Amino acid sequence: MMTTSPWDRWYSANCCLCCHVRTGTIILGVWYMLINAVVLLILLTALSDPEQYHLTSAELANDLDVMDDANMCIASAISLLMILICGMATYGAFKLRAAWIIPFFCYQIFDFALNTLVAVSIVVYPNTIQDYLQQLPDNFPYKEEIAALSNVCLVLIVLIFMSCILGFKAYLIACVWNCYRYVCSRGTAEILLYVTTNDTTVLLPPYDDCVSVPSKQGAHLSLSTMTA
C-alpha cells in the first residue's frame, strides 16, 4: 500500500470562493501590495508635513514620541520592502516561477509566529492588557467600559480574537503553500515530458541500421540456400 505524506493530505488546488490557489495567491499578493502602498503613501505624506501628523506627548498621555522621523523612515522602508515581496509573489504565481513565491511565504510564517508569541504572552502575562489600556488616550472609544472588565474576561476576549486571526492567517499560508506546490509540480511535469520525449527520440535506431537489417537477413538466407 502506498502511504501519503501529511503534506499531501493537506494539498488542494482550490481555495476560498472555489478559485484556484494560483488565482488566490495573485489576489492575496495584490491586496497586500495595495495595503502597503496606502501605508507608504500616508508615511511619505507625514514625512513631507511633520507638523500636521506629529503627535505630542500630551496627546499620547505618555513620555514617548512615537511619530518621530526615524521611526517613520523605518516604517516606510518596511512598507517598500513588503511591496517588493508581494510583487514577487504575484509575479511568481502569474508566471509559474516557484522561487519568487518563497519570500512571501517566509513572511507569512514570520507573521504567524509573531502573532502566536503575542497570544502566548497574553496568556502568561494577563496584566499586560490593563497596562496597554492605561496607555491609550483618554478620548479612546469605550476605554472606561473595557477597563472595567475583569482580567479573565479581557484575556478570553483577546484570545478568541487572536485565535480567529491566527486561523485566518494559517489558511492563507496553506493557500500560498499549495500554490507553491502547484507551480513546482507544473515545472516538474514539463521537465519529465521533455526528458521522455528526448529519450524516445534517442532510443530510436538510426535510419541506416533499419535499412541494413533486412539486407543482412536476406544475404544470410541466400547463403543458407546455396549451402543446402
Side-chain angles (χ1 to χ4, degrees), residues 39-55 65-80:
V39 173
L40 181 62
L41 181 62
I42 295 174
L43 291 173
L44 293 178
T45 305
L47 284 174
S48 63
D49 192 5
E51 294 182 357
Q52 183 178 358
Y53 296 91
H54 189 79
L55 297 178
D65 198 357
V66 297
M67 295 298 290
D68 58 349
D69 293 339
N71 291 332
M72 294 178 66
C73 290
I74 294 174
S76 300
I78 294 175
S79 299
L80 186 61

